[in-house]
Amino acid sequence: EEGAAAYDRFKNTANELGISVEKNQRAFKNFVVSATQSGQTLQQAETEFKQVAIAITAMGLSAEDSNGVLLALGQIASKGTVSAEELRGQIGERLPGAFAIAARSIGVTESELNKMLQKGEVISKDFLPKFTAELEKTFGASAQEGVKSYSSQLNQFDNQILELKVALGQELLPVMID
């Protein structure tokens, strides 16, 4: 029941922000499981997802890029520490300015963050809430415009088609089985 409720909240957030449910549900699940296994609550993980989703929407990322960001965050959560590859490579290539935002989120310079990453000193359960909050702070105002973008509108349409498919499947499956 808790998982179903979390999935419903994910769908609501995705629809609200114009993110593809179908293309991001696996990444959301992996992120939430990884975050909760690392000691965060389900509510914290969902909040972090929404904060990242705001940045994704503001930047107008494609479904593929948003999925990549979420998968990288799930990897960070599951490993317990943040690596430069995930932050600079996987997230930074898709979300411009991510490294600077990460440094700002923990109150260090980019150079200091780089050294901390090399030494394995950035702990994911401490880093993720600060980083995602800083993403929301940085991109929150732009997200409202991002929701109006073509890609967000298309994702919202695709999400409605997915819901229709699910509803039709639930109605027709018993008839087809009989």
Side-chain angles (χ1 to χ4, degrees), residues 38 40 48 80 82 105-106 121-131:
S38 74
Q40 294 186 3
E48 291 167 5
V82 182
S105 75
I106 60 172
E121 296 175 343
V122 184
I123 307 302
S124 61
K125 71 178 183 175
D126 299 328
F127 170 78
L128 285 171
K130 293 174 184 175
F131 177 60

Side-chain angles (χ1 to χ4, degrees), residues 12-163:
N12 290 338
T13 298
N15 283 321
E16 174 188 330
L17 294 171
I19 294 173
S20 173
V21 168
E22 187 173 23
K23 294 178 181 167
N24 288 291
Q25 60 190 350
R26 186 173 142 248
F28 167 77
K29 179 192 75 166
N30 289 343
F31 172 71
V32 168
V33 169
S34 296
T36 55
Q37 292 299 311
S38 74
Q40 294 186 3
T41 66
L42 178 59
Q43 183 179 7
Q44 287 173 312
E46 288 179 18
T47 298
E48 291 167 5
F49 164 74
K50 185 168 186 172
Q51 292 168 324
V52 172
I54 287 169
I56 287 168
T57 298
M59 294 300 296
L61 298 186
S62 68
E64 181 181 318
D65 284 341
S66 64
N67 188 46
V69 169
L70 292 169
L71 286 172
L73 290 170
Q75 291 170 348
I76 288 170
S78 69
K79 289 180 181 178
T81 58
V82 182
S83 77
E85 166 55 29
E86 290 150 349
L87 186 56
R88 268 206 171 101
Q90 296 177 36
I91 297 172
E93 288 176 7
R94 294 173 173 97
L95 197 60
F99 197 80
I101 293 167
R104 191 169 57 242
S105 75
I106 60 172
V108 298
T109 66
E110 291 178 50
S111 177
E112 290 169 325
L113 175 58
N114 195 44
K115 289 175 186 171
M116 292 171 71
L117 292 172
Q118 289 173 351
K119 294 177 183 176
E121 296 175 343
V122 184
I123 307 302
S124 61
K125 71 178 183 175
D126 299 328
F127 170 78
L128 285 171
K130 293 174 184 175
F131 177 60
T132 60
E134 190 66 26
L135 285 174
E136 181 178 23
K137 180 179 172 186
T138 303
F139 293 108
S142 303
Q144 294 307 314
E145 287 302 312
V147 171
K148 298 175 188 172
S149 74
Y150 175 75
S151 64
S152 288
Q153 296 288 315
L154 185 59
N155 284 335
Q156 288 171 333
F157 177 73
D158 287 344
N159 292 345
Q160 290 173 347
I161 296 297
L162 179 63
E163 288 295 317

